[in-house]
Amino acid sequence: MNKKRIRLFILLATSLGILIFAAFLAFTFIPTHTGVIAEVQHNEETGRHSIWVVQGSSADINNKSEAELAERYKYQGIIFKLPSYLPERVKQDLSAGQEVKIYINGKIQESGPGGGKAYWVTAVKKEEY
């Protein structure tokens, strides 16, 4: 290899390393919220998704009607607006009763239920013994 190619390779490898390190730091220090999805909402007009996340367990959510959930968790939890860049397959996989970890901007509106914007959502997988 000539010197130009070696320098280009070193530059690209260093840039890629810095980018991976920055992504690691971003997902390490971004505030998170963990809870169970009580309801997934989709606005047909705007195409936006949001999820209502409450503290509890999947057993508390599963097999409950919307009226029962509204009564039990009235004014509790947080409704997170999901970002438009979140892949559709991730949005479609979200369902009531699923435990999730949400990366947020750190600001939660004080209302009943609260409101916030999510940067990313991941499902929390519990190990079964």
Side-chain angles (χ1 to χ4, degrees):
M1 290 175 116
N2 62 25
K3 288 184 179 182
K4 285 185 180 180
R5 285 188 179 184
I6 292 173
R7 287 181 184 168
L8 180 62
F9 176 76
I10 291 172
L11 178 66
L12 289 175
T14 304
S15 298
L16 181 62
I18 290 171
L19 184 64
I20 290 171
F21 183 69
F24 169 76
L25 286 178
F27 279 99
T28 302
F29 295 109
I30 290 177
T32 61
H33 180 79
T34 305
V36 178
I37 297 176
E39 184 179 7
V40 178
Q41 302 165 346
H42 177 70
N43 186 331
E44 295 293 333
E45 293 177 10
T46 62
R48 303 287 302 214
H49 287 79
S50 60
I51 53 175
W52 178 25
V53 179
V54 297
Q55 296 299 316
S57 68
S58 297
D60 295 337
I61 304 298
N62 292 335
N63 303 321
K64 300 273 194 292
S65 69
E66 287 185 26
E68 290 174 312
L69 289 173
E71 182 64 31
R72 179 175 179 146
Y73 295 105
K74 190 178 202 177
Y75 308 121
Q76 295 180 25
I78 303 169
I79 296 176
F80 290 101
K81 293 179 184 175
L82 301 180
S84 59
Y85 56 80
L86 196 65
E88 279 300 315
R89 66 176 173 76
V90 173
K91 293 176 189 174
Q92 299 302 323
D93 287 343
L94 297 174
S95 61
Q98 185 177 28
E99 190 170 344
V100 291
K101 182 175 186 179
I102 302 155
Y103 295 88
I104 59 176
N105 65 358
K107 299 176 186 175
I108 302 296
Q109 297 171 348
E110 293 183 19
S111 60
K117 291 183 180 178
Y119 288 136
W120 197 258
V121 178
T122 58
V124 175
K125 295 184 182 182
K126 294 195 174 197
E127 296 180 18
E128 298 193 22
Y129 298 97

